[in-house]
């Protein structure tokens, strides 16, 4: 484990409250939160104050006024219900990740439930008598 040392500082109560709220929203301990903030600060300082966005991309799109107000109302309800501020970014990213996770699970399920080999059709896997009956039925249906 990495060696650690205690860091204490008296800060204004308003700033302390901001830190406590942000730390709670992230579900981090005070030590984890302060370490992350200081690490980010020194990375920014090393990079001339510019954030490194190499691994991030921006998506922008317009939505109707009605949908915008529905989202805002939902965010307010969730914030009141959970007593944790839910941001637009967290909400939208959560929806996108959930949809992608579901699509990937469906894709995996489809891949594992396909017993036929390449080129096989359903008729190829039926016993000979059933295949003959299926063929006859399709001819009479025409």
């Amino acid at each position: 484990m990495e060696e650690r040392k205690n860091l204490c500082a008296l800060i204004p109560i308003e700033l302390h409250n901001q830190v406590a709220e942000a730390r709670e929203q992230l579900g981090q301990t005070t030590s984890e939160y302060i370490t992350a903030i200081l690490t980010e600060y020194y990375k920014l300082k090393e990079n001339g104050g510019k954030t490194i966005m190499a691994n991030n991309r921006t998506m922008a799109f317009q939505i109707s006024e009605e949908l915008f107000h529905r989202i805002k109302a939902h965010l307010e309800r969730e914030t009141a219900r959970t007593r944790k501020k839910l941001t637009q970014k967290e909400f939208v990213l959560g929806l996108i990740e959930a949809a992608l996770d579901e699509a990937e699970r469906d894709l995996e399920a489809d891949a594992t439930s396909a017993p036929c080999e390449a080129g096989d059709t359903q008729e190829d896997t039926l016993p000979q008598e059933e295949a003959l009956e299926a063929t006859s039925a399709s001819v009479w249906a025409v």
Side-chain angles (χ1 to χ4, degrees):
M1 183 173 166
E2 181 179 35
E3 189 176 340
R4 300 203 169 241
K5 187 165 177 125
N6 192 27
L7 175 67
C8 293
L10 289 174
I11 59 174
I13 193 79
E14 188 176 309
L15 180 58
H16 182 278
N17 292 340
Q18 280 183 297
V19 168
E21 184 180 327
R23 176 192 61 75
E24 288 172 14
Q25 286 180 353
L26 293 171
Q28 294 178 325
T29 66
T30 302
S31 180
E32 292 168 335
Y33 183 73
I34 297 298
T35 299
I37 286 177
L38 290 173
T39 302
E40 183 178 331
Y41 169 79
Y42 283 108
K43 283 181 182 176
L44 275 171
K45 193 172 179 180
E46 288 172 10
N47 196 33
K50 298 177 186 157
T51 57
I52 300 171
M53 300 284 287
N55 294 327
N56 293 322
R57 303 295 291 219
T58 299
M59 288 183 69
F61 49 90
Q62 293 184 341
I63 59 173
S64 70
E65 187 75 18
E66 177 188 355
L67 181 57
F68 178 80
H69 289 295
R70 287 178 62 198
I71 292 170
K72 284 293 196 185
H74 173 74
L75 296 175
E76 289 173 9
R77 285 191 305 270
E78 282 300 297
T79 297
R81 185 180 70 82
T82 63
R83 293 187 173 89
K84 177 184 171 200
K85 183 170 174 57
L86 178 62
T87 66
Q88 288 180 27
K89 178 181 175 180
E90 292 169 330
F91 176 65
V92 172
L93 288 178
L95 292 175
I96 292 170
E97 288 176 352
L100 289 173
D101 289 345
E102 182 180 348
E104 289 165 358
R105 279 192 305 272
D106 290 348
L107 186 61
E108 288 175 15
D110 289 347
T112 59
S113 67
C116 297
E117 292 184 24
D120 284 350
T121 62
Q122 185 175 0
E123 288 82 25
D124 293 338
T125 61
L126 293 174
Q128 202 169 18
E129 288 181 5
E130 290 179 9
L132 183 56
E133 289 175 9
T135 305
S136 298
S138 63
V139 168
W140 289 108
V142 176

